[in-house]
Amino acid sequence: MSLLPRGRRCGAAATAARRLLLGTRARVPGSHMCNQYTTSGSLTEEKKELLQSGPDLQDFVSGDLSDKSAWAEYKGNLKRQKGERLRLPPWLKTEIPMGKNYNKLKNTLRSLNLHTVCEEARCPNIGECWGGGEYATATATIMLMGDTCTRGCRFCSVKTAKNPPPLDPEEPYNTAKAIAEWGLDYVVLTSVDRDDMPDGGAEHFAKTVSHLKERNSKILVECLTPDFRGDLQAVEKVVLSGLDVYAHNVETVPALQRKVRDPRANFEQSVRVLKHAKEVQPRVITKTSIMLGLGETDEQVYSTMKLLREADVDCLTLGQYMQPTKRHLKVNSS
């Protein structure tokens, strides 16, 4: 499985893509800037204004936090010593998820036999995303094709098996039904890897997008897909399904691919997928993400950014890797 967000990458990634769709420009360090796109008018003017006036990347990287008390007086170790497993500092700990929105989403998912990345990846921010609030939209990243992956990446806690259970043929319809009930403006669809299927599950993705657009033509749909073993015809099937954002994560810098990802995945194959998606449908926004905290250097990150821009990738998100269990790769900030 090579598709999971770590830390706060999930919400930030969706926000970045929404900004591109709304025609805003996000400033990033260096000479590169996200491409500018026009929207088809699928959101109300009020919602466009709210998104445009919200925080951007510069606010995130400035380091000017409103409340430094949470970390200024912290006496624990922030850098792992050899053989040590660091305790989470207080600002990375979250409350036990609860609330009306959280329970509503969970009950809907269970009743329709749907799965989410939020649960399968043991995301610490599940209560924040699902709970929403007075000024926030409750969001969830739907994971299609079951909860069992055919790959075993060393950062991911999703279950693995050589032959997972067969697909639920009703899942595309049920997914569209659930999302329609939630009344979302933007939804992210992702999946486990299904190397046991001829097309890797591309047709399943396409059917889900089609059902969603039939129920709500104004909803913005992002598909965070596997690499389909490099099958470009499968990529085309998803790209031409009517989605708005095509995402596929390269996960880490080229030098760490073999250490971090399943041997069947690699940087070059992932970049070919993203590049082909843009060639097939130039108006679709292409997006990828890399995790930080796996031992990469600044120079490797900058080099990876350049390679992604050369492949015409529109949006890149950076997320802090958080070790899901003791069996997975440790955080390495060296």
Side-chain angles (χ1 to χ4, degrees), residues 219-275:
I219 193 170
L220 299 175
V221 180
E222 172 183 334
C223 287
L224 177 56
T225 75
D227 59 20
F228 300 117
R229 304 185 304 276
D231 182 352
L232 299 184
Q233 288 187 335
V235 174
E236 290 180 17
K237 192 175 294 185
V238 179
V239 174
L240 298 175
S241 66
L243 53 70
D244 301 283
V245 179
Y246 188 99
H248 170 66
N249 292 340
V250 298
E251 305 298 1
T252 187
V253 299
L256 297 178
Q257 293 279 317
R258 291 182 63 83
K259 174 184 176 183
V260 173
R261 303 176 75 186
D262 184 277
R264 286 164 286 187
N266 61 74
F267 186 82
E268 292 74 18
Q269 181 167 270
S270 291
V271 169
R272 279 199 302 272
V273 166
L274 290 162
K275 189 173 183 179

Side-chain angles (χ1 to χ4, degrees), residues 44-312:
T44 65
E45 291 300 323
E46 181 182 2
K47 289 183 178 178
K48 290 179 187 178
E49 186 175 345
L50 283 172
L51 287 171
Q52 290 173 340
S53 60
D56 59 17
L57 181 61
Q58 196 58 44
D59 298 319
F60 176 76
V61 301
S62 67
D64 184 19
L65 304 178
S66 58
D67 181 13
K68 296 184 174 64
S69 61
W71 55 269
E73 299 178 2
Y74 182 64
K75 304 301 181 183
N77 290 334
L78 293 177
K79 190 169 183 179
R80 182 176 65 86
Q81 304 299 319
K82 187 175 181 180
E84 177 189 13
R85 188 171 189 265
L86 286 178
R87 295 179 62 85
L88 284 178
W91 58 87
L92 287 181
K93 294 180 180 179
T94 58
E95 297 180 358
I96 296 174
M98 61 181 64
K100 186 166 62 176
N101 279 342
Y102 173 85
N103 291 328
K104 177 184 176 182
L105 264 68
K106 187 168 186 176
N107 290 337
T108 304
L109 290 164
R110 294 295 79 80
S111 66
L112 295 174
N113 193 31
L114 300 177
H115 304 277
T116 67
V117 164
C118 321
E119 294 172 297
E120 301 303 327
R122 304 179 186 181
C123 179
N125 302 315
I126 187 170
E128 180 181 329
C129 292
W130 286 25
E134 184 179 358
Y135 301 107
T137 300
T139 61
T141 300
I142 300 294
M143 190 162 73
L144 303 173
M145 298 189 276
D147 62 355
T148 306
C149 186
T150 55
R151 298 188 186 182
C153 297
R154 297 185 65 199
F155 63 87
C156 178
S157 63
V158 171
K159 293 184 293 185
T160 62
K162 186 176 181 181
N163 294 300
L167 298 186
D168 176 5
E170 298 300 317
E171 186 177 52
Y173 175 82
N174 287 337
T175 300
K177 179 182 177 182
I179 292 169
E181 290 178 0
W182 294 337
L184 302 180
D185 295 315
Y186 191 103
V187 64
V188 181
L189 304 174
T190 188
S191 78
V192 292
D193 281 280
R194 292 298 300 255
D195 296 310
D196 58 315
M197 301 182 60
D199 69 348
E203 182 67 28
H204 206 74
F205 260 108
K207 286 181 179 179
T208 306
V209 175
S210 178
H211 281 302
L212 274 170
K213 291 291 187 176
E214 285 176 4
R215 283 179 169 266
N216 182 0
S217 61
K218 295 183 178 180
I219 193 170
L220 299 175
V221 180
E222 172 183 334
C223 287
L224 177 56
T225 75
D227 59 20
F228 300 117
R229 304 185 304 276
D231 182 352
L232 299 184
Q233 288 187 335
V235 174
E236 290 180 17
K237 192 175 294 185
V238 179
V239 174
L240 298 175
S241 66
L243 53 70
D244 301 283
V245 179
Y246 188 99
H248 170 66
N249 292 340
V250 298
E251 305 298 1
T252 187
V253 299
L256 297 178
Q257 293 279 317
R258 291 182 63 83
K259 174 184 176 183
V260 173
R261 303 176 75 186
D262 184 277
R264 286 164 286 187
N266 61 74
F267 186 82
E268 292 74 18
Q269 181 167 270
S270 291
V271 169
R272 279 199 302 272
V273 166
L274 290 162
K275 189 173 183 179
H276 190 69
K278 193 67 174 179
E279 291 170 348
V280 171
Q281 185 58 276
R283 294 189 62 184
V284 164
I285 290 174
T286 50
K287 187 176 79 169
T288 193
S289 183
I290 61 175
M291 295 174 286
L292 303 178
L294 290 164
E296 68 288 329
T297 66
D298 290 350
E299 290 72 21
Q300 288 173 331
V301 174
Y302 298 147
S303 175
T304 303
M305 289 178 170
K306 292 177 181 177
L307 290 172
L308 292 170
R309 284 304 300 135
E310 289 172 3
D312 208 15

